[in-house]
Every structure is written in structure tokens, then in C-alpha cells.
Amino acid sequence: MNFLDIPSFDPIPYCTEGIILSITDRLIFWIGGFIIFLVSSFILIGTLVSKTMREQPGDLIFGIALSDFVLSIYWMINASFAGQVDNPNFCVPVGALGVFAACGEFVYNAAFSIYLIISLRNALRQSTIPKKAFHLIALGFLVASVGFLLFEGEIGKDMVGTCAIRAQCESTFYSYFGIGLVASYALLGIFTYIYLRKNVPKCERAHSRRA
């Protein structure tokens, strides 16, 4: 253990030596990143300018767009400075930025799905739709996730030559962190779809009776 008991780590695992983004990969990162940068910029500007767009669920869409905006910058940084991935002074902060954006993407998409479920439930019977709670939980999740990975020394060079969650030459919990987020949201998305499909007709019948 080193100073302050923070675990020491090798930011360049032996299994990633010599791995770097190819020219094709860099081009894809640049083009894709730039397109997402432009689209998310329009959404962010529109939300900041329009008070109506800031109302729920516009605030959640703003969180998704902001995460996309940061993620696009992260992709373009990786593409532009691919030769710096073996430098921990570059890779750790860039990787932390990417993990922060990816976790933000997950948590705000999850919040939007939960909002849809609660909104439909509210149409069927009176229930509370949280507002500030979504953002407080999202911020707490982001800070906790990035802080934990940094503390554990798990941000660095990954298996494809970018800066993100550090590659594991042997299988560990961290090997499945990203996959776990994707799988969790996929399950939530499926549940949201099934719930909406099942309950929208009930909502329509309730409205027709009131009319």
C-alpha cells in the first residue's frame, strides 16, 4: 500500500502493451464524436434557452444530452491523442472523464425510464413523481462510481487502446463493470416497454370514462 493507503497499480497492464487505436478507429471516434457533439450541443442550448424544455422530463433529457456531450469530447480526445494512452498522467484523468460520462448516460436513461413508469402510474392513480431526487441520486451515483474506481486504481488503459476502466489481464469484478451497467439498463428498458404496453390501454380507458 502507498501513501494514504490508496492501492498502487500499474496503469499499463502487460496484456495491453503495444495496443493502440488504429487509424480507422480514430476516424470513427472523430466522426461519431463530432456528430454527437453537434446534436447534443443543439439540445443543450435549446434546453438552456427554453424554460418549457427545462420542465420535467426535459431536465432528464438535458442530463442525457450533457452526458452525450462529454462522451463525444472524450471520444475525440482519445482519437486525437491515441499515442498518449501509455502515459498515466494523461490516461487516468481522461479515463475518469469517460467513465463519468458513461455512468451519466446510464443513470439518466434509467431515470427517464423510471419517470415514464411513474407518469403512467400517476395517470391511473395519484402518485408522486420525484423531481430533485432524480438529480441527487444521479449525482451521488456518478461521484461514488468514479471516486471508487479512482481510489481502487481501476482507471487507465483498456483492452482496445483507449482510456477507460483499466484492462484486467485476469477476470475480476471490474472486468464486468461496464457490461453490468449495459445489462442493467437493458433489463430496465425491457421492463419499461412491457409495463407501458400493458398499462397504456388502461390509461386510455380511464380517460375515456372521465370524459
Side-chain angles (χ1 to χ4, degrees):
M1 301 288 285
N2 56 13
F3 186 58
L4 294 180
D5 290 333
I6 297 176
S8 60
F9 67 99
D10 178 9
I12 311 169
Y14 66 86
C15 53
T16 67
E17 290 181 3
I19 296 178
I20 191 171
L21 284 176
S22 67
I23 298 297
T24 304
D25 290 334
R26 294 182 211 178
L27 194 60
I28 292 172
F29 271 50
W30 246 109
I31 295 174
F34 185 68
I35 292 173
I36 294 174
F37 176 86
L38 290 178
V39 173
S40 57
S41 295
F42 289 138
I43 297 174
L44 293 175
I45 293 171
T47 305
L48 292 173
V49 170
S50 172
K51 183 179 179 180
T52 304
M53 289 184 65
R54 292 197 296 272
E55 296 176 358
Q56 202 173 47
D59 58 336
L60 302 179
I61 295 172
F62 180 86
I64 296 171
L66 183 60
S67 299
D68 284 334
F69 179 81
V70 176
L71 202 56
S72 68
I73 294 174
Y74 161 77
W75 286 342
M76 290 188 286
I77 290 174
N78 271 289
S80 301
F81 303 98
Q84 294 293 317
V85 291
D86 289 335
N87 178 3
N89 293 326
F90 168 83
C91 205
V92 172
V94 171
L97 180 70
V99 171
F100 185 87
C103 288
E105 185 85 22
F106 162 76
V107 74
Y108 271 105
N109 273 289
F112 186 71
S113 293
I114 294 170
Y115 168 83
L116 293 176
I117 293 171
I118 296 176
S119 295
L120 183 57
R121 183 177 297 175
N122 190 53
L124 295 171
R125 57 182 182 275
Q126 195 63 33
S127 59
T128 302
I129 301 178
K131 293 182 179 180
K132 292 183 180 179
F134 277 133
H135 301 289
L136 292 174
I137 293 171
L139 184 60
F141 179 81
L142 292 175
V143 172
S145 298
V146 177
F148 175 75
L149 290 170
L150 282 171
F151 183 81
E152 291 293 316
E154 294 298 333
I155 292 182
K157 186 178 180 181
D158 65 13
M159 289 299 292
V160 296
T162 63
C163 302
I165 295 179
R166 191 169 64 96
Q168 302 295 325
C169 300
E170 291 84 25
S171 181
T172 68
F173 162 79
Y174 304 104
S175 306
Y176 304 100
F177 184 82
I179 297 174
L181 290 183
V182 173
S184 298
Y185 181 67
L187 291 174
L188 178 59
I190 293 170
F191 173 79
T192 303
Y193 172 78
I194 294 172
Y195 184 88
L196 294 179
R197 186 172 182 180
K198 179 181 178 181
N199 288 283
V200 164
K202 295 179 182 178
C203 183
E204 291 174 346
R205 287 196 295 271
H207 280 295
S208 63
R209 283 198 297 270
R210 291 170 189 168

